[in-house]
Amino acid sequence: MSEARRRLAEAQGRVVAALVAGGEVPEGFDPERMRVQSASLVAKRRDIVARIRPDAAAAAGPDLVAEFAAYAGARATPPPGYRADAEDFAAWLRERGRMPDEEPGKRRRWSRLLSSGP
């Protein structure tokens, strides 16, 4: 990899870290715009996670926004994919006593719906 590509990759990594992991805003970027964009990305993740795991959204109740923000802020990077994000968020709530333990082997109704085709 050339030196220019390596520097570009590092710079891109700093931008991504600022957007999704609370990293320092790189020089030359507007901190307020980065904060707004970061909040938007967290909101998008939260909405998708709530659709994948409505039981987790219901367990968080009116604290969903705050709980998901705390969950997202506690991770250096988001999990690989929305399903993993949804499962991790449910585990986050469970660890905090906000959600009951799942029965082993019991498949959630919505997971069957998500995995079934047309």
Side-chain angles (χ1 to χ4, degrees):
M1 176 184 288
S2 74
E3 181 63 20
R5 284 182 182 257
R6 184 190 64 73
R7 285 194 318 264
L8 177 60
E10 288 175 0
Q12 288 172 332
R14 287 190 297 273
V15 171
V16 170
L19 288 172
V20 301
E24 189 175 318
V25 175
E27 186 178 326
F29 287 85
D30 181 335
E32 179 60 15
R33 284 185 175 194
M34 292 290 281
R35 186 197 63 74
V36 168
Q37 186 60 44
S38 179
S40 176
L41 291 171
V42 168
K44 177 182 176 184
R45 281 176 59 200
R46 181 186 65 238
D47 291 347
I48 293 171
V49 163
R51 279 184 266 161
I52 294 171
R53 288 294 306 257
D55 61 329
D63 298 329
L64 177 61
V65 171
E67 286 284 355
F68 196 85
Y71 154 79
R75 284 156 172 65
T77 58
Y82 290 117
R83 290 188 198 290
D85 211 8
E87 294 304 320
D88 286 359
F89 180 58
W92 165 273
L93 291 172
R94 199 171 293 111
E95 290 168 4
R96 284 151 185 76
R98 300 285 312 259
M99 192 167 171
D101 288 336
E102 292 180 342
E103 296 177 33
K106 185 176 181 181
R107 194 167 180 203
R108 294 174 306 280
R109 180 179 68 82
W110 55 88
S111 68
R112 288 191 307 270
L113 294 173
L114 290 171
S115 63
S116 64

